[in-house]
Amino acid sequence: MSQIKIDSDIPLEANYNNGRPEKYPWRKMEIGESFFVLPDMMTPKRASTHAWEASLRTGRKFACRRQEGGVRIWRIS
């Protein structure tokens, strides 16, 4: 039987979305930056839900506002 070496102090690598690329740039945004989403991509209500879920995953806060032609989402903290 072979011996298995046990290691310590090796950080766990982040695995966001099970290896799938993120559709929206939640983790790339700095405070004050925003992105615009067309209504065929995401309804205003769904945008708010996505922003809230992203805040739980990332620890950041986002705000959504309807604008002509879609929804704009800002990172606020």
Side-chain angles (χ1 to χ4, degrees):
M1 181 174 206
S2 67
Q3 293 291 331
I4 298 175
K5 182 180 177 237
I6 298 173
D7 298 316
S8 60
D9 298 322
I10 298 176
L12 177 66
E13 296 177 10
N15 185 10
Y16 306 124
N17 291 331
N18 297 323
R20 295 180 311 218
E22 287 189 316
K23 186 173 183 178
Y24 302 104
W26 307 112
R27 296 181 195 280
K28 297 176 185 174
M29 295 174 70
E30 299 295 328
I31 294 172
E33 292 182 332
S34 67
F35 64 94
F36 186 77
V37 182
L38 296 171
D40 60 335
M41 294 175 64
M42 185 185 323
T43 65
K45 182 174 180 166
R46 194 69 186 136
S48 178
T49 302
H50 275 289
W52 176 74
E53 290 169 346
S55 71
L56 295 177
R57 286 192 313 270
T58 65
R60 301 171 179 194
K61 292 186 180 180
F62 301 93
C64 304
R65 298 291 184 271
R66 291 181 191 192
Q67 292 187 333
E68 187 175 330
V71 177
R72 183 162 294 278
I73 302 171
W74 288 266
R75 178 175 171 204
I76 57 174
S77 71

